[in-house]
Amino acid sequence: MKPMKICILSSEIMPYAKTGGLADVAGALIGELKARGHDVRGFMPLYRGVRDREPSMRALAELTDVGLRLGDTSYLYSVLAGNFPGTGATMYFIDCPALYDRPGFYTSDADEHRRFILFTRAALETCRRIGFGPDVFHCNDWHTGFLPLYLKTIYSGEALFERSRSLMTIHNIGYQGVMSAAALDDLGVDGIRPLIDPEDLSAGVVNALRTGLKYADVVSTVSPTYAREICATELGMGMQATLLARGEPVIGILNGVDYREWDPRHDPHLGAHFDPRDLAGKRENKRTLLGDAGLTVDPSRPLIGMVSRLAEQKGFDLLMQVLPRCLAEHDCAFVALGSGEPRYAEFLEGLVRRFPGRAAFSGRHDEAMAHLIEAGSDAFLMPSRYEPCGLNQIYSLRYGTIPIVRNTGGLADSVRHFDPGTGEGTGCVFNDYDTAAVNWAIGTTLSWYADAPLWDRLVQNAMAQDFSWSRQVAEYEALYRRESDLAAVSSSA
Ligand code: ADP
Ligand code: GLC
């Protein structure tokens, strides 16, 4: 198969910067596509601290102190190249201290939009100056939303990009990059007003994601069910008409997981390893987790785990009502790891005070703890209001930790409700977004746990699932190839 040239732009990429699943997915795609022989180039902003993680980083002479004017401000940026670990794919880090040398990857500063406008422009400029004309620019989420528009305006006469197509992947339609219409000046495109959504403009805003969805050659998202939901229901969060106007379906490709990182047979974060034939290591991880989290319940009691951004999307408004009742009624324990909105952290801290020794919470970002919760818990709770894909429920399956999930998005596409009659299924799936449904799901899962042979069957089913990237990445390859064939046809016509 002929190798393709692929640019992947993402605001976060593992192992350099991560706040959520986007980083895992972008990193895995870069590695997997390179391993399949493609010429893959990854792009990310050089946030504070990232340079220390990449010893191979080197300056590019043709991209040192490049000037770029955004509105009334002139910026200088440089581009540093590095080797993506293990694969040799090239990473380009956009170095602009005025914009990226800040305490967090994301900010609520007034120039937040400029941080990603510059990132996008700099990625295109890097390709141009090094003479790299990709078959596909793979853009991810709102941060990269202006790239398709740039390709069709500022860079439309660039011979190098004549056959380059753009793919916009939606990882979460809840984050759209809505900015004041004043940002139009920062985009640097002549005659831009008629190109921007008129309703947004009359509301005084520009929407980066909507612009990407309008101008990208193809749009995808991270599960087939979410692809349908965002076009046809309120989960499109105001983007339904924009998606329908494209006249072709949004493609849903379920995320894979990197089993080099997330497999209990060899997970480097675990003190004890295990596989479906011998679960002694899982029990040992449970004891370690109970000890580390300060939980004093008997290890035979069921332990429910969570690793999650503390955001409304993840179902915390329901959990604020459900968890106190669950701990009061059931002889079980609960452990959560996550950071985000203070109101949810306060709730979890309160839960720990109310149920000492039975509920634990850590508000850090802690990679090792995330792995230990996957390995040491019996069930994993993910009652999301919406979930484009979700990775933790897929990790949970591999660790024999039974996912309790709502029937939405990627949760619906990765977990099948267990039927004790037939012994088929991999988790507990509930439909309605309400407290009764979550209560039911937790109660049902705990009743299965009480029946050891039944639980063992469920654990075996879960651990047998395979969501490796080697399968899913072929779907991206087919999509890129389709686009590059279409480009070949249109440029020879
Ligand atoms: P989302 O991207 O919406 O947050 P996903 O399930 O796709 O949800 O991915 C979340 C990723 O972030 C997982 O790899 C999970 O382990 C990780 N994660 C979330 N919170 C933390 C945390 N506090 N510490 C370590 N890892 C975390
Ligand atoms: C987003 C979504 C999550 C998805 C991840 C990676 O953060 O919320 O469901 O798994 O992106 O695609």
Side-chain angles (χ1 to χ4, degrees), residues 285-297:
N285 285 304
K286 183 174 182 180
R287 284 191 293 273
T288 307
L289 174 57
L290 291 173
D292 288 2
L295 295 170
T296 51
V297 292

PDB file of all heavy atoms in Angstrom, residues 285-297:
ATOM      1  N   ASN A 285      -3.717  -5.945  43.481  1.00  0.00           N
ATOM      2  CA  ASN A 285      -3.865  -4.518  43.158  1.00  0.00           C
ATOM      3  C   ASN A 285      -4.991  -3.888  43.963  1.00  0.00           C
ATOM      4  O   ASN A 285      -4.916  -2.724  44.359  1.00  0.00           O
ATOM      5  CB  ASN A 285      -4.127  -4.330  41.656  1.00  0.00           C
ATOM      6  CG  ASN A 285      -2.871  -4.534  40.844  1.00  0.00           C
ATOM      7  OD1 ASN A 285      -1.859  -3.869  41.073  1.00  0.00           O
ATOM      8  ND2 ASN A 285      -2.905  -5.454  39.898  1.00  0.00           N
ATOM      9  N   LYS A 286      -6.039  -4.673  44.189  1.00  0.00           N
ATOM     10  CA  LYS A 286      -7.157  -4.136  44.970  1.00  0.00           C
ATOM     11  C   LYS A 286      -6.692  -3.821  46.396  1.00  0.00           C
ATOM     12  O   LYS A 286      -7.002  -2.750  46.939  1.00  0.00           O
ATOM     13  CB  LYS A 286      -8.324  -5.137  44.984  1.00  0.00           C
ATOM     14  CG  LYS A 286      -9.555  -4.622  45.719  1.00  0.00           C
ATOM     15  CD  LYS A 286     -10.723  -5.581  45.571  1.00  0.00           C
ATOM     16  CE  LYS A 286     -11.965  -5.073  46.262  1.00  0.00           C
ATOM     17  NZ  LYS A 286     -13.098  -6.009  46.129  1.00  0.00           N
ATOM     18  N   ARG A 287      -5.922  -4.728  46.970  1.00  0.00           N
ATOM     19  CA  ARG A 287      -5.429  -4.473  48.339  1.00  0.00           C
ATOM     20  C   ARG A 287      -4.535  -3.233  48.363  1.00  0.00           C
ATOM     21  O   ARG A 287      -4.621  -2.391  49.257  1.00  0.00           O
ATOM     22  CB  ARG A 287      -4.682  -5.697  48.867  1.00  0.00           C
ATOM     23  CG  ARG A 287      -5.631  -6.837  49.294  1.00  0.00           C
ATOM     24  CD  ARG A 287      -4.885  -7.930  50.059  1.00  0.00           C
ATOM     25  NE  ARG A 287      -3.929  -8.634  49.206  1.00  0.00           N
ATOM     26  CZ  ARG A 287      -4.236  -9.692  48.446  1.00  0.00           C
ATOM     27  NH1 ARG A 287      -5.468 -10.181  48.444  1.00  0.00           N
ATOM     28  NH2 ARG A 287      -3.314 -10.278  47.698  1.00  0.00           N
ATOM     29  N   THR A 288      -3.666  -3.106  47.338  1.00  0.00           N
ATOM     30  CA  THR A 288      -2.787  -1.924  47.262  1.00  0.00           C
ATOM     31  C   THR A 288      -3.624  -0.657  47.143  1.00  0.00           C
ATOM     32  O   THR A 288      -3.383   0.347  47.831  1.00  0.00           O
ATOM     33  CB  THR A 288      -1.853  -2.030  46.037  1.00  0.00           C
ATOM     34  OG1 THR A 288      -1.189  -3.271  46.091  1.00  0.00           O
ATOM     35  CG2 THR A 288      -0.849  -0.892  45.999  1.00  0.00           C
ATOM     36  N   LEU A 289      -4.621  -0.711  46.258  1.00  0.00           N
ATOM     37  CA  LEU A 289      -5.468   0.472  46.042  1.00  0.00           C
ATOM     38  C   LEU A 289      -6.209   0.850  47.319  1.00  0.00           C
ATOM     39  O   LEU A 289      -6.244   2.032  47.710  1.00  0.00           O
ATOM     40  CB  LEU A 289      -6.446   0.169  44.897  1.00  0.00           C
ATOM     41  CG  LEU A 289      -7.514   1.218  44.588  1.00  0.00           C
ATOM     42  CD1 LEU A 289      -6.891   2.578  44.274  1.00  0.00           C
ATOM     43  CD2 LEU A 289      -8.385   0.764  43.411  1.00  0.00           C
ATOM     44  N   LEU A 290      -6.784  -0.141  48.002  1.00  0.00           N
ATOM     45  CA  LEU A 290      -7.505   0.146  49.248  1.00  0.00           C
ATOM     46  C   LEU A 290      -6.563   0.832  50.236  1.00  0.00           C
ATOM     47  O   LEU A 290      -6.910   1.843  50.845  1.00  0.00           O
ATOM     48  CB  LEU A 290      -8.068  -1.146  49.855  1.00  0.00           C
ATOM     49  CG  LEU A 290      -9.209  -1.839  49.098  1.00  0.00           C
ATOM     50  CD1 LEU A 290      -9.534  -3.204  49.728  1.00  0.00           C
ATOM     51  CD2 LEU A 290     -10.463  -0.973  49.061  1.00  0.00           C
ATOM     52  N   GLY A 291      -5.345   0.283  50.334  1.00  0.00           N
ATOM     53  CA  GLY A 291      -4.371   0.849  51.272  1.00  0.00           C
ATOM     54  C   GLY A 291      -3.978   2.266  50.871  1.00  0.00           C
ATOM     55  O   GLY A 291      -4.029   3.201  51.682  1.00  0.00           O
ATOM     56  N   ASP A 292      -3.629   2.449  49.602  1.00  0.00           N
ATOM     57  CA  ASP A 292      -3.178   3.774  49.130  1.00  0.00           C
ATOM     58  C   ASP A 292      -4.274   4.829  49.296  1.00  0.00           C
ATOM     59  O   ASP A 292      -4.000   5.998  49.565  1.00  0.00           O
ATOM     60  CB  ASP A 292      -2.794   3.734  47.642  1.00  0.00           C
ATOM     61  CG  ASP A 292      -1.484   2.990  47.410  1.00  0.00           C
ATOM     62  OD1 ASP A 292      -0.923   2.481  48.405  1.00  0.00           O
ATOM     63  OD2 ASP A 292      -1.045   2.907  46.244  1.00  0.00           O
ATOM     64  N   ALA A 293      -5.525   4.400  49.097  1.00  0.00           N
ATOM     65  CA  ALA A 293      -6.630   5.361  49.146  1.00  0.00           C
ATOM     66  C   ALA A 293      -7.167   5.545  50.566  1.00  0.00           C
ATOM     67  O   ALA A 293      -8.071   6.346  50.791  1.00  0.00           O
ATOM     68  CB  ALA A 293      -7.756   4.892  48.214  1.00  0.00           C
ATOM     69  N   GLY A 294      -6.625   4.785  51.509  1.00  0.00           N
ATOM     70  CA  GLY A 294      -7.091   4.903  52.894  1.00  0.00           C
ATOM     71  C   GLY A 294      -8.449   4.273  53.114  1.00  0.00           C
ATOM     72  O   GLY A 294      -9.199   4.685  54.001  1.00  0.00           O
ATOM     73  N   LEU A 295      -8.791   3.263  52.313  1.00  0.00           N
ATOM     74  CA  LEU A 295     -10.083   2.587  52.474  1.00  0.00           C
ATOM     75  C   LEU A 295      -9.882   1.370  53.381  1.00  0.00           C
ATOM     76  O   LEU A 295      -8.932   0.606  53.187  1.00  0.00           O
ATOM     77  CB  LEU A 295     -10.625   2.153  51.102  1.00  0.00           C
ATOM     78  CG  LEU A 295     -10.977   3.324  50.161  1.00  0.00           C
ATOM     79  CD1 LEU A 295     -11.269   2.833  48.752  1.00  0.00           C
ATOM     80  CD2 LEU A 295     -12.170   4.105  50.709  1.00  0.00           C
ATOM     81  N   THR A 296     -10.799   1.223  54.340  1.00  0.00           N
ATOM     82  CA  THR A 296     -10.575   0.193  55.349  1.00  0.00           C
ATOM     83  C   THR A 296     -11.565  -0.959  55.236  1.00  0.00           C
ATOM     84  O   THR A 296     -11.654  -1.797  56.133  1.00  0.00           O
ATOM     85  CB  THR A 296     -10.671   0.818  56.757  1.00  0.00           C
ATOM     86  OG1 THR A 296     -11.895   1.568  56.826  1.00  0.00           O
ATOM     87  CG2 THR A 296      -9.508   1.752  57.027  1.00  0.00           C
ATOM     88  N   VAL A 297     -12.327  -1.013  54.154  1.00  0.00           N
ATOM     89  CA  VAL A 297     -13.303  -2.106  54.002  1.00  0.00           C
ATOM     90  C   VAL A 297     -12.593  -3.440  53.797  1.00  0.00           C
ATOM     91  O   VAL A 297     -11.443  -3.487  53.355  1.00  0.00           O
ATOM     92  CB  VAL A 297     -14.249  -1.872  52.796  1.00  0.00           C
ATOM     93  CG1 VAL A 297     -15.157  -0.698  53.043  1.00  0.00           C
ATOM     94  CG2 VAL A 297     -13.451  -1.704  51.511  1.00  0.00           C
TER      95      VAL A 297
END
